[in-house]
């Protein structure tokens, strides 16, 4: 994540929280929830407002958030009542543990394409046996920035599938949906497992 993107989430934490916390995440999270047993331990990377943490907790899971912005992390922890660690996907030691589920929603879109394969491989290694990974990405070509100066890197389905397979991940299901925030973005959602990459 570049500095301008990181600065946005810290400086505009309350605005981002207010814009996202009341969006119903059920269509996004159901594939992951249905693939896991009650009591599963789930790491939500880039947990933002804590909306998804609360949804998962209310369904009998044990979620733990990771959020780069200290301001957003505090809001997420208060909103969800779940533990939230301040840190980033690129450097966190939380992936040295084993997780039943890992949620990476709207996070990899901020990383250059060439950085994603190594991170996917690390995510695959952090999955417990029969663990599941959920990833969402913006559909499109190349890279760009929005009005808030956040950098985005766009993906095509075939390209992501190829990178996921190279990281030892198998696509179990895929969805394509319009943004819940009412803009023109199209999101690709993938439920994956790492059976193909585990001994």
């Amino acid at each position: 994540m570049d500095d301008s993107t990181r600065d946005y989430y810290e400086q505009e934490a309350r605005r981002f929280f207010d814009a996202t916390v009341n969006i119903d995440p059920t269509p996004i999270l159901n594939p992951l929830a249905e693939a896991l047993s009650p009591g599963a331990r789930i790491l939500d990377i880039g947990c933002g407002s804590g909306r998804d943490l609360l949804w998962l907790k209310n369904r009998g899971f044990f979620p733990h958030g990771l959020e780069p912005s200290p301001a957003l992390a505090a809001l997420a922890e208060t909103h969800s009542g779940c533990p939230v660690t301040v840190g980033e996907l690129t450097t966190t030691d939380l992936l040295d543990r084993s997780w039943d589920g890992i949620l990476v929603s709207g996070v990899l879109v901020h990383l250059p394409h060439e950085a994603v394969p190594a991170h996917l491989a690390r995510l695959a290694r952090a999955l417990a046996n029969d663990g599941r990974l959920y990833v969402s990405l913006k559909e499109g070509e190349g890279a760009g920035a929005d009005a808030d100066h956040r950098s985005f890197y766009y993906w095509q389905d075939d390209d992501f599938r190829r990178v996921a397979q190279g990281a030892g991940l198998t696509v179990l299901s895929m969805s394509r949906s319009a943004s819940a925030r009412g803009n023109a973005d199209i999101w690709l959602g993938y439920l994956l497992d790492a059976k193909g990459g585990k001994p």
Side-chain angles (χ1 to χ4, degrees):
M1 184 187 301
D2 62 28
D3 289 343
S4 62
T5 304
R6 187 179 293 104
D7 289 347
Y8 165 81
Y9 287 110
E10 179 64 11
Q11 295 166 7
E12 302 293 339
R14 172 54 68 173
R15 182 160 70 96
F16 182 81
F17 178 92
D18 291 341
T20 59
V21 72
N22 292 316
I23 295 172
D24 180 10
T26 301
I28 300 167
L29 298 180
N30 258 344
L32 179 63
E34 291 174 354
L36 298 174
S37 301
R41 296 164 297 109
I42 301 173
L43 178 62
D44 182 358
I45 296 176
C47 65
S49 66
R51 174 198 68 200
D52 297 351
L53 292 172
L54 181 60
W55 189 97
L56 292 165
K57 184 179 79 169
N58 286 343
R59 282 152 183 81
F61 300 110
F62 291 94
H64 186 119
L66 177 72
E67 173 54 49
S69 161
L72 258 182
L75 290 169
E77 194 164 72
T78 298
H79 175 71
S80 68
C82 297
V84 177
T85 298
V86 176
E88 298 198 24
L89 166 64
T90 53
T91 55
T92 183
D93 60 5
L94 288 174
L95 289 175
D96 296 335
R97 308 178 193 177
S98 182
W99 298 91
D100 302 308
I102 301 176
L103 174 63
V104 191
S105 182
V107 173
L108 298 182
V109 292
H110 294 311
L111 299 179
H113 297 106
E114 62 271 16
V116 170
H119 293 304
L120 283 178
R122 190 175 180 215
L123 290 164
R125 291 192 296 271
L127 287 176
N129 289 332
D130 297 321
R132 297 291 185 267
L133 168 66
Y134 183 86
V135 172
S136 67
L137 305 156
K138 283 190 181 186
E139 184 180 59
E141 300 279 356
D146 67 4
D148 293 311
H149 308 292
R150 293 181 296 169
S151 296
F152 288 95
Y153 298 84
Y154 303 100
W155 286 84
Q156 292 293 311
D157 178 49
D158 288 347
D159 294 332
F160 181 75
R161 287 176 183 267
R162 184 167 53 252
V163 170
Q165 183 178 22
L169 291 159
T170 301
V171 176
L172 302 176
S173 66
M174 178 266 190
S175 64
R176 184 176 183 273
S177 58
S179 172
R181 296 183 69 178
N183 56 36
D185 293 335
I186 300 297
W187 286 89
L188 306 175
Y190 297 88
L191 182 69
L192 308 109
D193 76 3
K195 289 179 181 177
K198 289 185 179 289

